[in-house]
C-alpha cells in the first residue's frame, strides 16, 4: 500500500509531545517517527534520537558543509558535539512525508540558530532529506542529506541580516589588533605580496598612488635596529627630561624588553610616501589609508600588525634604511603571527562618536 502525505501547511515542530510519543516503537507512522527525531534534537537527547536511526547498516550523512560521513559513529559524534552547544535553537518545518510499506523519506527545513560570542545570531537554513526503512517494525533513518539554503548572521532584536561574506569583512575589521609580541612562524612571500596588493587599492588624492613599501626580513638588520632604536629613545629622553643615571638604566631595561617583543616578528613593512608626488599635501592621507588596508588584509590572513611611532622616529629610520630624502615614513609595522591575540582595548561607545546631519 502506498501512502503519500504532503503537508500543505508547514508544521512547526516546537511542541513537546507527550512522553510516550518520545519513544520510537513498532507501529508508528513515518511522520510520528520523524517528530520523535526532531524532538530528540530539540531536547539534546541522543539516546532517543538514535532510536530513530538504523543500528543494522551503514549510515550515510552529507552535512551542510558538503562533508560525507559514512558511519553511525560519525553521525553520533556530530550530534553529541552539537548537543553540547549552548544557545542553540533548531526550529523545523516539515515539508513532505512519503511513506511506502518498508521505505519512506521526509523533507524538512531545519533553521539552525546559534548565538555567537559577539551576541549576534548565526543562522543556517538547510533542507534535510531523510531516508527511512523499516527495521523490526520501526521506521529507522538510513541516510540524512543536508542541502544548505541560506547562511547568515542576524542582530538580536533587529530584522537586518548579514550574509556570511558581509559578516566576515566586518568581523575582520573589528578583530584587527595592535600586536606587540610575535611567534617566529615565517610569513610566506605570497602573503606579503597579497597584503601589499590590498594596501595599494586604498584611495589616493588624484589616484596618485605615491607609495613605496619597504619590506624587511633580515633578522640581523632587525637586531641592529633594536639596538639603535634603544639608543634613539634614550637620547631623546635625555634631551627632554635630563634624568639621573639610575632612571636611564631602568628605561633601557624596560624599553629593551619592549623592543625585543615589538621586533620579534619575521617581517616588517615601512610604508613610505613620495613627497614629490603630484599632490604632496595629501600624501600623508594616502599613506595612512594604505596602512589601514594593509592591517586589515594582514588580519584576514591571520597576522597581527602595529602602528608604532615612539620607537621608530622618521629621521633616524630614514638614515638606518637608507631611504631617499623625498620619501616620508608613515608607519613601520610588523607582520607576524601573534604570540597571543590581545583582548580588544576599551573602545568608545559608537553613539559618542556619531553626529547626524549637523552639529
Ligand atoms: C598614529 C598612531 C600611533 C601609534 N603609536 C604607538 C606607539 O608608539 N606605541 C604603541 O605601542 N602603539 C602605538 N599605536 C597603537 C595604538 O596604541 C593602538 O592602535 C590602540 O591602543 C588601539 O588598539 P588596537 O589597535 O588593538 O585597536 C599607535 C597607533 C596609531 C594609529
Amino acid at each position: 500500500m502506498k501512502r503519500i502525505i504532503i503537508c500543505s501547511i508547514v508544521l512547526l515542530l516546537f511542541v513537546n509531545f507527550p512522553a510516550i510519543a518520545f519513544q520510537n516503537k513498532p507501529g508508528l507512522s513515518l511522520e510520528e517517527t520523524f517528530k520523535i527525531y526532531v524532538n530528540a534534537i530539540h531536547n539534546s537527547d541522543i539516546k532517543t534520537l538514535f532510536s530513530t536511526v538504523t543500528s543494522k547498516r551503514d549510515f550515510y550523512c552529507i552535512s551542510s558543509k558538503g562533508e560525507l560521513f559514512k558511519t553511525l559513529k560519525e553521525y553520533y559524534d556530530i550530534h553529541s558535539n552539537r548537543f553540547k552547544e549552548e544557545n542553540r535553537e533548531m526550529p523545523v518545518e516539515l515539508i513532505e512525508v512519503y511513506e511506502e510499506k518498508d521505505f519512506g523519506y521526509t523533507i524538512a527545513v531545519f533553521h539552525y540558530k546559534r548565538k555567537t560570542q559577539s551576541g549576534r545570531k548565526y543562522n543556517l537554513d538547510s533542507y534535510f532529506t531523510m531516508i527511512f526503512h523499516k527495521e523490526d517494525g520501526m521506521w529507522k533513518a538510513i541516510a540524512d542529506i543536508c542541502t544548505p539554503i541560506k547562511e547568515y548572521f542576524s542582530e538580536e532584536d533587529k530584522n537586518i541580516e548579514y550574509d556570511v561574506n558581509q559578516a566576515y569583512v566586518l568581523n575582520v575589521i573589528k578583530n584587527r589588533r595592535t600586536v606587540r609580541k610575535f611567534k617566529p612562524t615565517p610569513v610566506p612571500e605570497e602573503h606579503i605580496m597579497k597584503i601589499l596588493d590590498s594596501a595599494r587599492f586604498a584611495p589616493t588624492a588624484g589616484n596618485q598612488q605615491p607609495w613605496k613599501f619597504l619590506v624587511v626580513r633580515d633578522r640581523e638588520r632587525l637586531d641592529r635596529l633594536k639596538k639603535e632604536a634603544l639608543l634613539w629613545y634614550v637620547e631623546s629622553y635625555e634631551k627632554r627630561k635630563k634624568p639621573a643615571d639610575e632612571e636611564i638604566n631602568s628605561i633601557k631595561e624596560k624599553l629593551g624588553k619592549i623592543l625585543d617583543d615589538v621586533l620579534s616578528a619575521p617581517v616588517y613593512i615601512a610604508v613610505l610616501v613620495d613627497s614629490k608626488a603630484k599632490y604632496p599635501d595629501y600624501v600623508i592621507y594616502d599613506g595612512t589609508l594604505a596602512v589601514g588596508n594593509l592591517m586589515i588584509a594582514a588580519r584576514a590572513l591571520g597576522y597581527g600588525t602595529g602602528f608604532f611611532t615612539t620607537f621608530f622616529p622618521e629621521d633616524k629610520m630614514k638614515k638606518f634604511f637608507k631611504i631617499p630624502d623625498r620619501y616620508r615614513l608613515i608607519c613601520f609595522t610588523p607582520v607576524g603571527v601573534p604570540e597571543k591575540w590581545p583582548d580588544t582595548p576599551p573602545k568608545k561607545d559608537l553613539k559618542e562618536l556619531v553626529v547626524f546631519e549637523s552639529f
Side-chain angles (χ1 to χ4, degrees), residues 176-178 180 307-311 345 347:
R176 178 211 53 78
R177 282 283 71 75
T178 297
R180 296 180 175 85
F307 204 126
F308 302 114
T309 40
T310 353
F311 316 129
K347 298 283 177 185

Side-chain angles (χ1 to χ4, degrees), residues 131-163:
I131 300 170
F132 290 82
H133 78 167
K134 275 268 174 74
E135 213 172 272
D136 304 328
M138 282 183 275
W139 285 111
K140 298 271 187 166
I142 55 171
D144 174 345
I145 299 139
C146 178
T147 313
I149 305 167
K150 192 174 165 195
E151 193 180 11
Y152 61 100
F153 289 81
S154 53
E155 298 281 342
E156 203 68 22
D157 304 328
K158 289 184 194 137
N159 289 327
I160 296 174
E161 292 174 3
Y162 300 90
D163 72 30

Side-chain angles (χ1 to χ4, degrees), residues 244-263:
D245 284 355
E246 308 85 72
E247 197 184 340
I248 284 290
N249 288 339
S250 122
I251 284 171
K252 273 188 185 163
E253 199 183 319
K254 260 193 223 150
L255 192 73
K257 280 192 190 128
I258 293 173
L259 285 169
D260 272 347
D261 291 345
V262 165
L263 284 167

Side-chain angles (χ1 to χ4, degrees), residues 195 198-205 210-211 213 271 273 282-297 307 330-331:
I195 290 167
S198 297
R200 81 186 170 98
F201 273 86
T204 54
W211 310 293
F213 301 110
V271 177
V273 287
Y282 297 107
V283 293
I284 300 292
Y285 303 117
D286 300 340
T288 318
L289 286 161
V291 173
N293 274 17
L294 179 159
M295 290 180 161
I296 288 159
F307 204 126
I330 302 294
C331 170

